[in-house]
Amino acid sequence: MAVAIRSPVTLVAAPAGYGKTTVVAQALQAGDCPGSAWVSLDAGDNDPARLWTHVAAALERAGCVLPLVEPSRVLGRAVDAPPTLLVTIMAALAAMPDDLVLVLDDFHFVQSPERHGEVEALIQALPEKAHLVIITRSDPGLRLGRLRVSHDLAELRADDLAFTREEARDLVARTGVDLADDTLVELVERTEGWPAALYLAALSLADRPDPDDFVHRFSGSNRFIGDYLTEEVLSRHPERLRDFILDVSVLDRFSAPLCDHLLGRGDSATILNDLERANLFLVPLDADRTWFRFHQLFAAVARSELELSHPDRVPDLHGRAAEWFSAHGLVPEAITHWLAAGRTHDASALVHANWLGFVDAGRAATVLGWLDVLGPGDDSPPAHVTAAWMASLVGDEHTAARHLRALEGMDDYGPLPDGSRSVESATTQLRGLFGYGGPLDMMAAARRATQLETDGRSAQFAVAQAALGHAHYVQGELDQALPPLRAATRADRAPGMIRILTLSLECFAEGERGNTTRARECAEQAMEVLDSRGLGATPQASWAYVALAQAQADAGKSDDAMRTLELGLSTRRLDNAQAVWGPIHHLLVSARIAARLGHDVLARDLLAELRQRMSRFADGMTAMQARADAVRKLVNDHDALEMIGEPLTERELDVLRLLQGSMSLHEISVELYLSPNTVKSHARAVYRKLGAHSRADAVRRARHLTLI
């Protein structure tokens, strides 16, 4: 195994009970083994934000530094805007000076084809010093054929992990049992070397007067043997301990306080200590031994026994578990147990109360998964509101409209679990923020939302203010847009994505007003929110990237601006999760930046897509059309300039922009990291190409040609 984990990719695939995790852990503890980052997965890791956040955290614990953008340096030459989290992980692995093993344990829980595609991308980008180990009960949905052909894949299967006769003898001997050679052979053959069954057999054989006879008496498949032996182990313990195991088996993880609540007792800590001393498949989950789980095979058999012997207890146990998890703010576990208890109403209530927090943490996929499990049966107003929000966030306009229609006539219903004062407040926030009905409807809805949501301590206040500021910006009313945008940004409970939206819009507005200093500050703050909330992998992050690109362009950092711009465009293309206005603003600002920096082909392409997207709205688009026309004029002026003379280079444009201010040529050289002589040469070239005779004349001609 120590050799296998040095392969680029190692696949350890075998059913439960084959010691997959133990074998890998032991190999990683060898003296000559590389450092490791271990990620234990569960069903929640089908959510991309959760999966890659867990991977990033494990890598950082292992000493792999994941770069974050320092706001004070975002305008510097050497710092690019941060990529999505997965790309950041790839870059961090490539920068590791020493070998590192990344372990993805229990990968069978990850069923999402999108997550499989991301893992494949990670595999393709693995640097030489990085190694990936995938531990799974079944073959993952990954395309590993290329790795097999190139001998870059090491595989360990059940046959490789099965115990030999000598290993089985050592295991049985550790329990003080002495088996005859033929009996030992029979035991290995019956279990096919299955480590879990052999361990259970060893526990069952202890203290038996005739262990050989016991071995001769059982037969069947591995699963049958596992069930039989587990039941044998359970039957040999006091009823108090056995009942504890059966009841607690409904939990994927547990602590003493949780068990006390579940069972209505106060001695769970003592029982857990007894179970751990008895080696009854209790696995500690933290260094303090506060949280535990049972071995999965043992838990499955115990759960099966509970359902057979006490089926009436199962819903009640799940309900009590849900109560405890809910009271302690562990929402995903609480929802899981409410559903298992058959209490979908309670599960639904938790989803509707907490969806915004999970979306704000970048876990929209988790909320969508809950809604999928709950199904269409919940016809309550909160259910329609949550579904409308989630549909809007993923760009599903038709589904959002269907849920909004279902809410018609329910304006006074409220308050809602998510904090909205009423259904009317929720629907006006939705209409105002996403603007499917166009600028005029957006403005009317946003104004009404701000009238309804007046509590500055609520998230809904921030949403309503953001919607109003956005509506004013769309209509070119910059002075009216800035106060609500700033109010939304300052709100204590403003969701991270709302702060990114309002700071980006303020950056655009201040840029149009010529206040480049404040625009840059807004871009920096948007990037701070992006990094601190871990939202770099979300499509909405493109707002912050394009704001940063604008600030970099204003500062004359052309190369940085174009790199950031391309990152923003790539992020926006991830999916259509920005509905209508996100792409419109992104295309407009990107086209403006591209045109200013002389990338006219890119600017024309962006303008063409912008024209198509804006064409759906007829009214209230005067300001937006004027903005687009200004960019087209800039591109056309470049064409005219190229026809009458030599075009300016990107670096000459950088110098030209800084000539507008009061900086000396020496100060401009420091700002652009160029020598004074180089700046003087660029300035002379600018004067010559523009036919200007002085600095002021060059600036005047450039403004006439809308070059600056």
Side-chain angles (χ1 to χ4, degrees):
M1 182 65 202
V3 175
I5 61 176
R6 289 188 179 273
S7 296
V9 179
T10 303
L11 177 65
V12 184
Y18 271 87
K20 302 181 293 295
T21 298
T22 301
V23 166
V24 175
Q26 289 175 343
L28 292 173
Q29 291 170 1
D32 60 344
C33 187
S36 62
W38 193 291
V39 185
S40 295
L41 304 171
D42 58 35
D45 290 299
N46 285 284
D47 186 310
R50 175 168 167 167
L51 171 62
W52 297 113
T53 299
H54 285 174
V55 172
L59 289 171
E60 288 190 318
R61 288 194 298 269
C64 182
V65 179
L66 272 72
L68 291 177
V69 165
E70 297 178 28
S72 62
R73 299 174 60 204
V74 294
L75 300 180
R77 291 164 56 86
V79 181
D80 296 338
T84 63
L85 188 54
L86 175 56
V87 177
T88 302
I89 288 170
M90 294 175 181
L93 287 173
M96 282 290 290
D98 302 314
D99 281 31
L100 180 72
V101 179
L102 171 61
V103 181
L104 301 181
D105 195 5
D106 289 332
F107 193 78
H108 48 270
F109 283 117
V110 180
Q111 300 290 325
S112 166
E114 291 78 15
R115 303 298 79 73
H116 291 170
E118 291 161 2
V119 173
E120 287 177 352
L122 175 63
I123 290 172
Q124 292 173 7
L126 278 179
E128 185 177 348
K129 291 189 175 184
H131 313 274
L132 177 65
V133 177
I134 296 173
I135 304 175
T136 177
R137 290 188 190 176
S138 56
D139 275 21
L142 304 176
R143 293 169 290 189
L144 301 176
R146 180 183 60 82
L147 294 173
R148 289 192 180 98
V149 171
S150 60
H151 303 290
D152 288 330
L153 177 68
E155 298 182 74
L156 277 78
R157 302 286 180 171
D159 289 344
D160 303 302
L161 299 171
F163 274 23
T164 64
R165 188 184 312 172
E166 290 71 23
E167 290 169 332
R169 184 185 302 279
D170 180 63
L171 176 65
V172 173
R174 289 172 184 266
T175 64
V177 175
D178 184 23
L179 291 178
D181 287 346
D182 61 338
T183 305
L184 182 67
V185 170
E186 183 179 359
L187 178 61
V188 174
E189 289 177 349
R190 292 280 181 89
T191 61
E192 298 180 8
W194 189 20
L198 286 166
Y199 180 64
L200 287 165
L203 291 177
S204 298
L205 292 170
D207 302 324
R208 286 188 179 274
D210 191 351
D212 294 276
D213 178 66
F214 177 80
V215 172
H216 297 322
R217 283 191 293 105
F218 74 82
S219 63
S221 66
N222 275 1
R223 178 68 196 196
F224 174 84
I225 293 170
D227 291 0
Y228 176 70
L229 291 176
T230 302
E231 291 162 7
E232 282 290 316
V233 171
L234 288 171
S235 68
R236 300 185 67 192
H237 289 278
E239 183 177 355
R240 164 178 166 274
L241 190 61
R242 186 170 63 251
D243 288 344
F244 180 93
I245 292 171
L246 295 183
D247 289 345
V248 172
S249 70
V250 302
L251 302 170
D252 291 329
R253 65 183 182 117
F254 44 85
S255 64
L258 170 55
C259 293
D260 284 342
H261 179 85
L262 184 78
L263 305 175
R265 60 197 309 161
D267 59 349
S268 296
T270 301
I271 295 178
L272 290 173
N273 287 333
D274 292 343
L275 289 175
E276 192 171 12
R277 283 197 301 269
N279 290 323
L280 276 183
F281 296 92
L282 196 65
V283 180
L285 298 177
D286 53 53
D288 297 330
R289 305 181 104 73
T290 300
W291 285 92
F292 301 86
R293 68 170 175 85
F294 285 127
H295 184 282
Q296 292 159 347
L297 173 67
F298 188 77
V301 174
R303 198 174 297 122
S304 177
E305 176 63 23
L306 173 66
E307 291 170 352
L308 286 173
S309 58
H310 303 291
D312 54 318
R313 284 182 56 77
V314 175
D316 180 60
L317 289 168
H318 280 296
R320 291 182 64 80
E323 292 171 356
W324 192 91
F325 281 119
S326 181
H328 288 79
L330 299 171
V331 174
E333 291 93 337
I335 291 172
T336 297
H337 285 285
W338 282 134
L339 291 171
R343 293 169 61 173
T344 55
H345 176 75
D346 293 297
S348 181
L350 269 186
V351 172
H352 304 324
N354 291 278
W355 70 266
L356 180 56
F358 278 82
V359 168
D360 193 37
R363 296 183 60 187
T366 294
V367 180
L368 291 169
W370 289 333
L371 294 180
D372 187 56
V373 171
L374 289 170
D378 189 350
D379 195 40
S380 66
H384 285 296
V385 167
T386 303
W389 273 109
M390 296 309 300
S392 298
L393 285 167
V394 300
D396 187 351
E397 182 177 353
H398 296 295
T399 299
R402 175 167 56 83
H403 287 290
L404 288 175
R405 285 195 298 273
L407 291 166
E408 291 176 357
M410 301 182 184
D411 284 356
D412 294 334
Y413 183 98
L416 301 180
D418 65 2
S420 294
R421 293 192 59 176
S422 64
V423 163
E424 182 186 10
S425 171
T427 57
T428 54
Q429 288 174 61
L430 275 159
R431 287 167 45 213
L433 192 65
F434 292 100
Y436 289 123
L440 301 185
D441 179 72
M442 185 162 55
M443 178 67 79
R447 282 176 171 156
R448 180 56 179 158
T450 58
Q451 293 171 357
L452 295 170
E453 296 292 349
T454 57
D455 183 357
R457 298 166 297 178
S458 72
Q460 287 69 32
F461 172 85
V463 173
Q465 293 294 322
L468 182 60
H470 179 211
H472 279 301
Y473 174 79
V474 166
Q475 299 200 20
E477 300 164 349
L478 302 185
D479 290 341
Q480 294 96 317
L482 290 174
L485 290 176
R486 291 168 181 166
T489 300
R490 291 193 299 265
D492 291 338
R493 295 191 59 192
M497 285 187 290
I498 291 297
R499 283 197 169 103
I500 290 172
L501 167 68
T502 55
L503 286 165
S504 300
L505 284 170
E506 185 178 352
C507 174
F508 303 155
E510 292 289 18
E512 291 183 20
R513 284 156 53 100
N515 190 352
T516 56
T517 299
R518 177 56 189 164
R520 182 190 63 198
E521 292 172 353
C522 292
E524 292 177 357
Q525 291 172 21
M527 294 303 302
E528 286 178 347
V529 176
L530 187 73
D531 291 335
S532 65
R533 300 293 183 94
L535 297 172
T538 62
Q540 289 82 4
S542 64
W543 285 87
Y545 295 145
V546 77
L548 175 61
Q550 175 176 295
Q552 289 170 327
D554 288 340
K557 307 294 194 258
S558 301
D559 294 341
D560 292 337
M562 287 308 300
R563 283 195 293 268
T564 305
L565 186 62
E566 179 52 40
L567 177 60
L569 291 169
S570 299
T571 305
R572 187 181 64 81
R573 296 185 189 110
L574 288 174
D575 57 39
N576 193 36
Q578 297 180 80
V580 176
W581 290 97
I584 286 177
H585 291 307
H586 195 108
L587 289 164
L588 176 60
V589 179
S590 298
R592 182 188 298 144
I593 294 170
R596 286 175 56 188
L597 299 181
H599 294 269
D600 292 338
V601 174
L602 174 60
R604 290 191 189 93
D605 290 342
L606 296 172
L607 284 170
E609 184 180 350
L610 176 65
R611 183 184 303 110
Q612 183 272 326
R613 288 183 177 269
M614 288 175 54
S615 65
R616 68 173 285 178
F617 302 123
D619 299 322
M621 293 294 289
T622 302
M624 294 299 294
Q625 291 290 356
R627 291 175 174 123
D629 290 342
V631 178
R632 290 190 191 94
K633 182 177 184 302
L634 180 56
V635 175
N636 293 335
D637 286 343
H638 286 178
D639 292 341
L641 183 62
E642 289 180 9
M643 293 176 62
I644 64 173
E646 187 179 354
L648 299 179
T649 67
E650 287 189 20
R651 188 55 75 194
E652 289 164 355
L653 283 168
D654 291 341
V655 172
L656 175 59
R657 292 187 192 96
L658 294 178
L659 288 173
Q660 298 177 89
S662 60
M663 297 172 67
S664 68
L665 292 183
H666 178 75
E667 290 170 333
I668 291 175
S669 70
V670 173
E671 179 71 15
L672 295 179
Y673 300 93
L674 299 173
S675 71
N677 286 336
T678 300
V679 171
K680 289 178 182 177
S681 296
H682 286 319
R684 283 195 295 269
V686 168
Y687 295 169
R688 175 176 55 80
K689 292 178 180 181
L690 293 178
H693 303 290
S694 67
R695 179 171 177 165
D697 190 27
V699 170
R700 181 183 59 76
R701 290 173 180 263
R703 286 175 175 167
H704 176 72
L705 293 169
T706 62
L707 292 175
I708 55 177

